[in-house]
Amino acid sequence: MIETGKIYNEDCFTTMNKMIESNYQVNNIITQPPESVNFINLFVCFDKILKKNGIILISLIYNKDSPIRTYETIVNIEKHTNFKLADIITWIKSPVLPNNMNKNRVTRQHEEIYIFCRKDEFKTFKTNKKVVSFRETGQPNYSNLNNVIHAPLRDKRIKTFKHNVFSTDLVLELLNMYVKKSYIVYNPFSGTGTVYNACVIYKCKFIGSEISKEEVEYSRKRIINTRLKLRKEK
């Protein structure tokens, strides 16, 4: 039985198979998979657990020795699954350490968040844009959503377990752009729990999976502390 608000200490495919068996679906997926994952199998499972017009917000780890891998991954996803690239958000990080140990590589200050939707939902997937006016023809004008987010590299005093991580500020911006309060967000690679920390602050629902027991326990404690802090601030 799958429960909302729970982080499962298991492989993501195990969790997703349980979701499929119980017909449990989510509205959005926000994640950063390891390079070693089989992206085709991953997206095939996503197709089964994602509600209609749901989207995937995914960070693909930059490989400094083979930068083209990111683009190869995107092409393979489009070629072999039911999903296509719908948009790209650029995350400008701060602070970043200068790359002074390499004589020909620039310092990377940005990262892309790739937005995927089902191919037949390219024109129907939802954002939080609002209608602000109408033209004489009846065509609505929508509020603006920028494709650049300025957010910290990571949260202060948060363990990273030597992984690349999101910052809560980044995830909050993504939630504001694409997630409604009633939605359920899934992260198949929970890591330190930043996505869920942001969901608690944003007041939407979440579910996750993470194979590392240590990181699951860390995430749970982090969520409890955030909830306690929010109650004190009321």
Side-chain angles (χ1 to χ4, degrees), residues 194-205:
T194 301
V195 169
Y196 313 126
N197 190 58
C199 286
V200 170
I201 296 170
Y202 188 72
K203 297 181 181 177
C204 68
K205 301 171 185 176

Side-chain angles (χ1 to χ4, degrees), residues 87-93 109-115 146-151 170 174 177:
D87 218 334
I88 302 173
I89 305 297
T90 298
W91 169 24
I92 306 295
K93 305 175 182 180
Q109 193 176 355
H110 73 88
E111 182 174 327
E112 277 68 46
I113 308 297
Y114 299 97
I115 315 301
N146 291 322
N147 70 333
V148 175
I149 295 174
H150 292 266
L170 168 70
L174 296 173
M177 294 171 73

Side-chain angles (χ1 to χ4, degrees), residues 93-177:
K93 305 175 182 180
S94 61
V96 291
L97 296 175
N99 186 0
N100 292 331
M101 302 300 291
N102 193 303
K103 65 181 181 181
N104 64 357
R105 297 291 179 87
V106 297
T107 298
R108 286 182 56 79
Q109 193 176 355
H110 73 88
E111 182 174 327
E112 277 68 46
I113 308 297
Y114 299 97
I115 315 301
F116 283 89
C117 69
R118 292 186 180 94
K119 292 172 181 174
D120 61 351
E121 295 172 353
F122 183 69
K123 294 185 178 181
T124 59
F125 77 87
K126 302 294 191 296
T127 70
N128 285 333
K129 279 190 170 186
K130 297 177 181 178
V131 176
V132 293
S133 63
F134 290 91
R135 299 183 182 180
E136 291 182 1
T137 59
Q139 171 70 37
N141 291 317
Y142 294 94
S143 57
N144 187 42
L145 286 181
N146 291 322
N147 70 333
V148 175
I149 295 174
H150 292 266
L153 175 63
R154 61 178 64 91
D155 294 349
K156 293 180 180 178
R157 297 180 292 278
I158 295 297
K159 288 180 67 174
T160 65
F161 294 89
K162 297 182 179 181
H163 298 322
N164 290 336
V165 296
F166 290 148
S167 65
T168 297
D169 285 352
L170 168 70
V171 180
L172 282 171
E173 290 285 351
L174 296 173
L175 295 176
N176 274 306
M177 294 171 73

Side-chain angles (χ1 to χ4, degrees), residues 13 32 34 46 69 82 107 122 140 159 208 219:
F13 292 102
Q32 185 181 66
F46 286 170
R69 283 190 189 176
N82 194 28
T107 298
F122 183 69
K159 288 180 67 174
S219 298

Side-chain angles (χ1 to χ4, degrees), residues 28-32 55-59 113 166 171 174-175 179 185-189 195-196 199:
N28 297 85
I29 295 167
I30 301 178
T31 194
Q32 185 181 66
I55 59 169
I56 301 158
L57 298 90
I58 188 169
S59 167
I113 308 297
F166 290 148
V171 180
L174 296 173
L175 295 176
V179 177
V185 174
Y186 174 55
N187 184 356
F189 305 96
V195 169
Y196 313 126
C199 286

